[in-house]
Short mmCIF file of all heavy atoms in Angstrom, two decimals:
data_model
loop_
_atom_site.label_atom_id
_atom_site.label_comp_id
_atom_site.label_asym_id
_atom_site.label_seq_id
_atom_site.Cartn_x
_atom_site.Cartn_y
_atom_site.Cartn_z
N TYR A 15 72.53 142.74 41.50
CA TYR A 15 72.47 142.48 40.07
C TYR A 15 73.85 142.07 39.54
O TYR A 15 73.96 141.16 38.71
CB TYR A 15 72.00 143.74 39.34
CG TYR A 15 72.01 143.60 37.83
CD1 TYR A 15 71.00 142.94 37.15
CD2 TYR A 15 73.08 144.14 37.09
CE1 TYR A 15 71.03 142.81 35.78
CE2 TYR A 15 73.11 144.00 35.72
CZ TYR A 15 72.09 143.34 35.06
OH TYR A 15 72.13 143.21 33.70
N LEU A 16 74.89 142.75 40.05
CA LEU A 16 76.24 142.42 39.61
C LEU A 16 76.61 140.99 39.99
O LEU A 16 77.18 140.24 39.20
CB LEU A 16 77.24 143.41 40.24
CG LEU A 16 78.71 143.20 39.89
CD1 LEU A 16 78.93 143.34 38.40
CD2 LEU A 16 79.59 144.17 40.65
N LYS A 17 76.24 140.58 41.24
CA LYS A 17 76.52 139.21 41.67
C LYS A 17 75.78 138.19 40.81
O LYS A 17 76.35 137.18 40.39
CB LYS A 17 76.14 139.05 43.14
CG LYS A 17 77.05 139.77 44.11
CD LYS A 17 76.62 139.52 45.55
CE LYS A 17 77.56 140.22 46.53
NZ LYS A 17 77.14 139.99 47.94
N CYS A 18 74.48 138.48 40.56
CA CYS A 18 73.70 137.56 39.74
C CYS A 18 74.27 137.50 38.32
O CYS A 18 74.37 136.42 37.73
CB CYS A 18 72.24 138.02 39.69
SG CYS A 18 71.38 137.90 41.28
N SER A 19 74.63 138.68 37.78
CA SER A 19 75.20 138.72 36.44
C SER A 19 76.52 137.96 36.38
O SER A 19 76.78 137.21 35.43
CB SER A 19 75.39 140.17 36.01
OG SER A 19 76.00 140.23 34.74
N ALA A 20 77.36 138.15 37.42
CA ALA A 20 78.65 137.45 37.46
C ALA A 20 78.44 135.95 37.56
O ALA A 20 79.13 135.16 36.89
CB ALA A 20 79.49 137.97 38.64
N GLN A 21 77.49 135.51 38.41
CA GLN A 21 77.23 134.09 38.55
C GLN A 21 76.71 133.50 37.24
O GLN A 21 77.12 132.39 36.83
CB GLN A 21 76.20 133.85 39.68
CG GLN A 21 75.89 132.39 39.95
CD GLN A 21 77.11 131.61 40.40
OE1 GLN A 21 78.02 132.17 41.01
NE2 GLN A 21 77.13 130.33 40.08
N ALA A 22 75.81 134.24 36.57
CA ALA A 22 75.30 133.76 35.29
C ALA A 22 76.43 133.67 34.26
O ALA A 22 76.50 132.71 33.47
CB ALA A 22 74.20 134.69 34.79
N ALA A 23 77.32 134.68 34.27
CA ALA A 23 78.46 134.66 33.34
C ALA A 23 79.38 133.48 33.61
O ALA A 23 79.88 132.83 32.69
CB ALA A 23 79.23 135.98 33.43
N VAL A 24 79.61 133.19 34.92
CA VAL A 24 80.45 132.04 35.28
C VAL A 24 79.82 130.74 34.78
O VAL A 24 80.49 129.88 34.19
CB VAL A 24 80.66 132.00 36.80
CG1 VAL A 24 81.29 130.68 37.21
CG2 VAL A 24 81.55 133.16 37.25
N GLU A 25 78.51 130.60 35.03
CA GLU A 25 77.83 129.37 34.61
C GLU A 25 77.82 129.23 33.09
O GLU A 25 78.09 128.15 32.55
CB GLU A 25 76.41 129.37 35.16
CG GLU A 25 76.34 129.29 36.68
CD GLU A 25 74.93 129.43 37.21
OE1 GLU A 25 74.02 129.69 36.39
OE2 GLU A 25 74.73 129.29 38.44
N ASP A 26 77.54 130.36 32.39
CA ASP A 26 77.55 130.30 30.92
C ASP A 26 78.95 130.01 30.40
O ASP A 26 79.11 129.23 29.44
CB ASP A 26 77.05 131.64 30.35
CG ASP A 26 75.55 131.83 30.56
OD1 ASP A 26 74.87 130.83 30.86
OD2 ASP A 26 75.07 132.98 30.45
N SER A 27 79.96 130.65 31.01
CA SER A 27 81.34 130.41 30.58
C SER A 27 81.72 128.96 30.79
O SER A 27 82.36 128.33 29.92
CB SER A 27 82.30 131.34 31.33
OG SER A 27 82.00 132.69 31.08
N GLU A 28 81.34 128.42 31.95
CA GLU A 28 81.65 127.02 32.23
C GLU A 28 80.95 126.10 31.22
O GLU A 28 81.56 125.14 30.72
CB GLU A 28 81.21 126.67 33.66
CG GLU A 28 81.63 125.28 34.09
CD GLU A 28 81.27 125.02 35.55
OE1 GLU A 28 80.65 125.90 36.18
OE2 GLU A 28 81.61 123.94 36.04
N ARG A 29 79.68 126.41 30.92
CA ARG A 29 78.95 125.60 29.94
C ARG A 29 79.58 125.71 28.56
O ARG A 29 79.79 124.69 27.87
CB ARG A 29 77.50 126.06 29.89
CG ARG A 29 76.65 125.36 28.83
CD ARG A 29 75.24 125.89 28.82
NE ARG A 29 75.19 127.33 28.65
CZ ARG A 29 75.34 127.94 27.47
NH1 ARG A 29 75.55 127.23 26.36
NH2 ARG A 29 75.28 129.26 27.39
N ILE A 30 79.93 126.94 28.16
CA ILE A 30 80.51 127.13 26.83
C ILE A 30 81.86 126.45 26.72
O ILE A 30 82.17 125.78 25.72
CB ILE A 30 80.61 128.64 26.52
CG1 ILE A 30 79.22 129.25 26.37
CG2 ILE A 30 81.43 128.88 25.26
CD1 ILE A 30 79.20 130.76 26.28
N PHE A 31 82.70 126.61 27.75
CA PHE A 31 84.01 125.96 27.71
C PHE A 31 83.87 124.44 27.74
O PHE A 31 84.65 123.72 27.10
CB PHE A 31 84.88 126.44 28.88
CG PHE A 31 85.63 127.71 28.59
CD1 PHE A 31 85.23 128.92 29.13
CD2 PHE A 31 86.74 127.69 27.75
CE1 PHE A 31 85.91 130.08 28.87
CE2 PHE A 31 87.44 128.86 27.48
CZ PHE A 31 87.02 130.05 28.03
N THR A 32 82.88 123.94 28.47
CA THR A 32 82.64 122.49 28.48
C THR A 32 82.25 122.01 27.09
O THR A 32 82.75 120.98 26.59
CB THR A 32 81.54 122.14 29.49
OG1 THR A 32 81.94 122.58 30.79
CG2 THR A 32 81.30 120.64 29.52
N GLU A 33 81.35 122.77 26.43
CA GLU A 33 80.96 122.42 25.07
C GLU A 33 82.15 122.51 24.13
O GLU A 33 82.32 121.67 23.23
CB GLU A 33 79.83 123.33 24.60
CG GLU A 33 78.52 123.13 25.35
CD GLU A 33 77.46 124.14 24.93
OE1 GLU A 33 77.80 125.03 24.10
OE2 GLU A 33 76.32 124.04 25.41
N LEU A 34 82.98 123.55 24.34
CA LEU A 34 84.17 123.70 23.49
C LEU A 34 85.12 122.53 23.68
O LEU A 34 85.66 121.99 22.70
CB LEU A 34 84.86 125.03 23.83
CG LEU A 34 86.15 125.33 23.07
CD1 LEU A 34 85.87 125.42 21.57
CD2 LEU A 34 86.77 126.63 23.57
N ILE A 35 85.30 122.12 24.93
CA ILE A 35 86.18 120.97 25.20
C ILE A 35 85.62 119.71 24.55
O ILE A 35 86.36 118.92 23.93
CB ILE A 35 86.34 120.78 26.72
CG1 ILE A 35 87.14 121.96 27.31
CG2 ILE A 35 87.03 119.47 27.04
CD1 ILE A 35 87.18 121.98 28.82
N HIS A 36 84.29 119.51 24.68
CA HIS A 36 83.68 118.33 24.05
C HIS A 36 83.81 118.39 22.54
O HIS A 36 84.08 117.37 21.88
CB HIS A 36 82.21 118.24 24.45
CG HIS A 36 82.00 117.90 25.89
ND1 HIS A 36 80.79 118.05 26.53
CD2 HIS A 36 82.85 117.41 26.81
CE1 HIS A 36 80.91 117.66 27.78
NE2 HIS A 36 82.16 117.28 27.98
N SER A 37 83.64 119.61 21.98
CA SER A 37 83.79 119.76 20.53
C SER A 37 85.21 119.43 20.09
O SER A 37 85.42 118.73 19.09
CB SER A 37 83.41 121.18 20.13
OG SER A 37 83.61 121.39 18.75
N ILE A 38 86.20 119.94 20.85
CA ILE A 38 87.60 119.64 20.50
C ILE A 38 87.88 118.15 20.65
O ILE A 38 88.59 117.55 19.82
CB ILE A 38 88.54 120.47 21.39
CG1 ILE A 38 88.41 121.97 21.04
CG2 ILE A 38 89.98 120.03 21.23
CD1 ILE A 38 89.22 122.87 21.93
N GLU A 39 87.32 117.53 21.68
CA GLU A 39 87.51 116.09 21.85
C GLU A 39 86.91 115.32 20.68
O GLU A 39 87.48 114.33 20.20
CB GLU A 39 86.88 115.64 23.17
CG GLU A 39 87.66 116.12 24.39
CD GLU A 39 86.97 115.74 25.69
OE1 GLU A 39 85.78 115.33 25.63
OE2 GLU A 39 87.60 115.84 26.76
N ARG A 40 85.70 115.79 20.21
CA ARG A 40 85.09 115.12 19.05
C ARG A 40 85.96 115.30 17.81
O ARG A 40 86.19 114.35 17.05
CB ARG A 40 83.70 115.70 18.80
CG ARG A 40 82.65 115.25 19.81
CD ARG A 40 81.24 115.55 19.31
NE ARG A 40 81.03 116.97 19.04
CZ ARG A 40 80.60 117.83 19.95
NH1 ARG A 40 80.34 117.41 21.18
NH2 ARG A 40 80.42 119.10 19.63
N ARG A 41 86.44 116.54 17.62
CA ARG A 41 87.31 116.78 16.47
C ARG A 41 88.58 115.94 16.57
O ARG A 41 89.09 115.43 15.57
CB ARG A 41 87.68 118.27 16.40
CG ARG A 41 86.48 119.18 16.14
CD ARG A 41 85.94 118.98 14.72
NE ARG A 41 84.82 119.88 14.46
CZ ARG A 41 83.55 119.56 14.63
NH1 ARG A 41 83.25 118.32 15.06
NH2 ARG A 41 82.58 120.40 14.36
N CYS A 42 89.09 115.81 17.78
CA CYS A 42 90.29 114.97 17.98
C CYS A 42 90.00 113.52 17.59
O CYS A 42 90.80 112.87 16.91
CB CYS A 42 90.75 115.07 19.43
SG CYS A 42 92.20 114.08 19.81
N SER A 43 88.84 113.03 18.01
CA SER A 43 88.45 111.65 17.66
C SER A 43 88.29 111.50 16.16
O SER A 43 88.71 110.49 15.56
CB SER A 43 87.15 111.28 18.37
OG SER A 43 87.31 111.33 19.76
N GLU A 44 87.68 112.52 15.51
CA GLU A 44 87.50 112.46 14.07
C GLU A 44 88.84 112.44 13.34
O GLU A 44 89.04 111.67 12.38
CB GLU A 44 86.67 113.65 13.60
CG GLU A 44 85.22 113.59 14.07
CD GLU A 44 84.45 114.84 13.67
OE1 GLU A 44 85.07 115.71 13.01
OE2 GLU A 44 83.27 114.95 14.01
N VAL A 45 89.77 113.31 13.80
CA VAL A 45 91.09 113.34 13.16
C VAL A 45 91.81 111.99 13.35
O VAL A 45 92.42 111.45 12.40
CB VAL A 45 91.93 114.50 13.73
CG1 VAL A 45 93.38 114.41 13.26
CG2 VAL A 45 91.33 115.83 13.31
N LYS A 46 91.76 111.45 14.57
CA LYS A 46 92.40 110.16 14.81
C LYS A 46 91.77 109.05 13.95
O LYS A 46 92.47 108.20 13.40
CB LYS A 46 92.30 109.80 16.29
CG LYS A 46 93.18 110.66 17.17
CD LYS A 46 93.31 110.08 18.57
CE LYS A 46 92.00 110.12 19.30
NZ LYS A 46 92.15 109.65 20.71
N GLU A 47 90.45 109.09 13.83
CA GLU A 47 89.76 108.08 13.00
C GLU A 47 90.13 108.23 11.54
O GLU A 47 90.36 107.24 10.83
CB GLU A 47 88.25 108.22 13.20
CG GLU A 47 87.46 107.14 12.50
CD GLU A 47 85.97 107.27 12.76
OE1 GLU A 47 85.57 108.14 13.57
OE2 GLU A 47 85.19 106.50 12.16
N LEU A 48 90.22 109.50 11.06
CA LEU A 48 90.61 109.74 9.68
C LEU A 48 92.01 109.23 9.41
O LEU A 48 92.28 108.59 8.38
CB LEU A 48 90.50 111.23 9.39
CG LEU A 48 90.91 111.69 7.99
CD1 LEU A 48 90.00 111.07 6.93
CD2 LEU A 48 90.87 113.21 7.87
N ILE A 49 92.93 109.52 10.35
CA ILE A 49 94.32 109.04 10.18
C ILE A 49 94.36 107.52 10.16
O ILE A 49 95.05 106.90 9.34
CB ILE A 49 95.20 109.61 11.31
CG1 ILE A 49 95.33 111.14 11.16
CG2 ILE A 49 96.57 108.97 11.29
CD1 ILE A 49 96.04 111.81 12.30
N ARG A 50 93.61 106.88 11.06
CA ARG A 50 93.60 105.41 11.11
C ARG A 50 93.01 104.83 9.82
O ARG A 50 93.51 103.79 9.32
CB ARG A 50 92.80 104.94 12.32
CG ARG A 50 93.44 105.26 13.66
CD ARG A 50 94.84 104.68 13.75
NE ARG A 50 95.46 104.97 15.05
CZ ARG A 50 96.74 104.73 15.30
NH1 ARG A 50 97.54 104.24 14.35
NH2 ARG A 50 97.23 105.01 16.48
N ASP A 51 91.94 105.49 9.30
CA ASP A 51 91.35 104.99 8.04
C ASP A 51 92.34 105.10 6.90
O ASP A 51 92.51 104.14 6.09
CB ASP A 51 90.08 105.78 7.71
CG ASP A 51 88.94 105.45 8.65
OD1 ASP A 51 89.01 104.40 9.34
OD2 ASP A 51 87.98 106.25 8.73
N GLN A 52 93.02 106.25 6.83
CA GLN A 52 94.02 106.41 5.76
C GLN A 52 95.16 105.42 5.95
O GLN A 52 95.68 104.86 4.97
CB GLN A 52 94.54 107.85 5.76
CG GLN A 52 93.48 108.87 5.36
CD GLN A 52 93.99 110.29 5.46
OE1 GLN A 52 95.08 110.52 6.00
NE2 GLN A 52 93.22 111.25 4.95
N GLU A 53 95.55 105.21 7.19
CA GLU A 53 96.60 104.22 7.46
C GLU A 53 96.16 102.83 7.02
O GLU A 53 96.93 102.07 6.40
CB GLU A 53 96.92 104.23 8.96
CG GLU A 53 97.96 103.19 9.36
CD GLU A 53 98.05 103.05 10.87
OE1 GLU A 53 97.11 103.46 11.57
OE2 GLU A 53 99.06 102.49 11.34
N LYS A 54 94.90 102.50 7.33
CA LYS A 54 94.39 101.17 6.99
C LYS A 54 94.37 100.95 5.48
O LYS A 54 94.79 99.88 4.98
CB LYS A 54 92.99 101.02 7.57
CG LYS A 54 92.38 99.65 7.37
CD LYS A 54 91.00 99.59 8.03
CE LYS A 54 90.38 98.21 7.83
NZ LYS A 54 89.04 98.12 8.46
N VAL A 55 93.90 101.98 4.73
CA VAL A 55 93.86 101.86 3.26
C VAL A 55 95.26 101.72 2.70
O VAL A 55 95.54 100.85 1.85
CB VAL A 55 93.15 103.08 2.66
CG1 VAL A 55 93.29 103.07 1.14
CG2 VAL A 55 91.68 103.07 3.04
N ALA A 56 96.19 102.56 3.16
CA ALA A 56 97.56 102.52 2.64
C ALA A 56 98.24 101.21 2.99
O ALA A 56 98.93 100.60 2.16
CB ALA A 56 98.35 103.71 3.19
N VAL A 57 98.05 100.73 4.21
CA VAL A 57 98.69 99.48 4.64
C VAL A 57 98.10 98.30 3.86
O VAL A 57 98.82 97.37 3.44
CB VAL A 57 98.52 99.27 6.16
CG1 VAL A 57 98.95 97.88 6.57
CG2 VAL A 57 99.36 100.30 6.91
N SER A 58 96.75 98.33 3.65
CA SER A 58 96.11 97.24 2.90
C SER A 58 96.63 97.17 1.47
O SER A 58 96.93 96.11 0.94
CB SER A 58 94.59 97.45 2.91
OG SER A 58 93.96 96.47 2.11
N ARG A 59 96.78 98.34 0.87
CA ARG A 59 97.31 98.37 -0.50
C ARG A 59 98.75 97.89 -0.53
O ARG A 59 99.14 97.12 -1.42
CB ARG A 59 97.22 99.80 -1.02
CG ARG A 59 97.67 99.94 -2.46
CD ARG A 59 97.50 101.38 -2.89
NE ARG A 59 97.95 101.56 -4.26
CZ ARG A 59 98.02 102.74 -4.87
NH1 ARG A 59 97.62 103.83 -4.22
NH2 ARG A 59 98.46 102.83 -6.12
N ALA A 60 99.52 98.32 0.44
CA ALA A 60 100.93 97.90 0.48
C ALA A 60 101.05 96.40 0.72
O ALA A 60 101.92 95.73 0.13
CB ALA A 60 101.66 98.67 1.56
N GLU A 61 100.18 95.84 1.55
CA GLU A 61 100.22 94.40 1.84
C GLU A 61 99.89 93.60 0.58
O GLU A 61 100.47 92.52 0.33
CB GLU A 61 99.26 94.07 2.97
CG GLU A 61 99.75 94.53 4.32
CD GLU A 61 98.74 94.23 5.43
OE1 GLU A 61 97.59 93.90 5.09
OE2 GLU A 61 99.11 94.36 6.62
N GLY A 62 98.91 94.13 -0.25
CA GLY A 62 98.60 93.43 -1.53
C GLY A 62 99.80 93.42 -2.45
O GLY A 62 100.11 92.41 -3.10
#
């Protein structure tokens, strides 16, 4: 039971950390996109 429980915990931990990594990557992409959008608006205004 301990081995099965440990294996299940490893698999769940790996799945959760994978989801966490994907979530952080998505948040990273969102932050980069937000910064680029703000940069684009500010640069466009400055160019005008």
Side-chain angles (χ1 to χ4, degrees):
Y15 176 80
L16 180 61
K17 289 182 178 179
C18 293
S19 178
Q21 182 62 29
V24 169
E25 294 174 356
D26 289 344
S27 299
E28 186 175 3
R29 176 182 55 78
I30 292 171
F31 274 105
T32 301
E33 293 175 357
L34 178 62
I35 292 171
H36 290 166
S37 177
I38 292 176
E39 289 177 346
R40 286 195 301 270
R41 295 291 181 266
C42 180
S43 298
E44 292 176 1
V45 170
K46 289 193 294 184
E47 185 177 355
L48 178 63
I49 293 173
R50 292 303 181 189
D51 289 343
Q52 293 176 351
E53 177 191 19
K54 184 178 180 180
V55 171
V57 170
S58 175
R59 183 178 178 185
E61 287 178 347

